[in-house]
Amino acid sequence: MTDREQFITNLVKGTQLVKFTNTRTSTMIWLISAFIFAALLTYIAGPYRSGIAYELLSSFQFFFESIIGLASIVLLIYTAFDFAIPSQRSVAKRLILPLTILIIWIGFYVFGLMYPALEPAMADKREYCYSETFIYALPILLVSLLWVRKQWPLHPKITGLLLGLAAGSVPALIMQFACIYEPEHILIYHILPGLLVGFVGVVLATVMLRRP
């Protein structure tokens, strides 16, 4: 055995291989679990808005922005799990797509300030939707951090940000069907608390995803 081979052997001796989880499978399990959890809590707290199916079918804008919202969540959580796997792609390039779709989703409500997809009905307004959005997202975020912790992601803060944004976006999207549809209200009381969970994710990730 040459000195080089001996050196490599010594390096790998005693090391333990890390088995990476399937990113697509993890994403699917997370999505189903997170939406069921948030949807049930939302339902327990109060009824969903009546006529949701009709609104989805009658307003293409409402239907499309809901699909974009779902796509944003899928990309955010997929990218978060994917950050546990080393890649030759730069961090910036891996973040472009999920953050761009998130911005487009928010942009729909900014556009809706002038051209709303639906006529608002104040009777459907939930009294504590801001708190609901934030609180429902926290358990989802905590479970997500424990999930990815086993993989020791290379960029803990970025992973925490993505997990937080994904967790916060789930109840924010659900509120689109459970609370009043009014763009200004949505931006302040649904989207904003969802985005704040992203910053909570960064803070928690610095502790929970810290390497030994």
Side-chain angles (χ1 to χ4, degrees), residues 117-134:
L118 301 171
E119 289 294 329
M122 295 304 294
D124 296 317
K125 185 177 180 180
R126 297 171 76 97
E127 188 174 359
Y128 303 107
C129 57
Y130 187 100
S131 300
E132 286 184 67
T133 302
F134 188 81

Side-chain angles (χ1 to χ4, degrees), residues 1 3 5 7 39 44 46-47 49 52 61 63 81 89-90 107 114 129 136 140 147 154 160 202 204:
M1 181 181 293
D3 292 339
E5 291 173 335
F7 175 70
I44 292 172
R49 194 169 66 247
I52 296 174
Q61 182 179 335
F63 176 81
F81 287 136
R89 297 175 61 201
S90 67
M114 297 179 291
C129 57
Y136 297 167
I140 300 174
W147 192 335
L154 301 177
V202 174
L204 292 179

Side-chain angles (χ1 to χ4, degrees), residues 31-73:
L31 283 171
I32 295 173
S33 303
F35 270 100
I36 290 177
F37 175 79
L40 284 176
L41 288 182
T42 303
Y43 178 76
I44 292 172
Y48 282 80
R49 194 169 66 247
S50 59
I52 296 174
Y54 173 77
E55 291 173 347
L56 283 170
L57 294 174
S58 62
S59 173
F60 177 77
Q61 182 179 335
F62 179 58
F63 176 81
F64 191 65
E65 69 188 17
S66 300
I67 294 298
I68 293 297
L70 178 60
S72 172
I73 296 171

Side-chain angles (χ1 to χ4, degrees), residues 140-211:
I140 300 174
L141 172 60
L142 288 173
V143 172
S144 304
L145 288 167
L146 292 172
W147 192 335
V148 300
R149 185 184 182 186
K150 300 177 181 179
Q151 298 299 309
W152 294 111
L154 301 177
H155 306 280
K157 292 182 179 179
I158 294 176
T159 301
L161 174 64
L162 293 170
L163 291 175
L165 290 175
S169 296
V170 170
L173 179 60
I174 290 176
M175 284 298 165
Q176 176 147 313
F177 309 101
C179 188
I180 180 176
Y181 184 94
E182 199 280 318
E184 183 177 358
H185 177 88
I186 291 172
L187 287 168
I188 297 175
Y189 294 97
H190 304 168
I191 298 296
L192 181 58
L195 295 178
L196 291 177
V197 180
F199 292 100
V200 175
V202 174
V203 175
L204 292 179
T206 58
V207 177
M208 297 179 65
L209 303 184
R210 184 171 53 193
R211 295 189 176 190

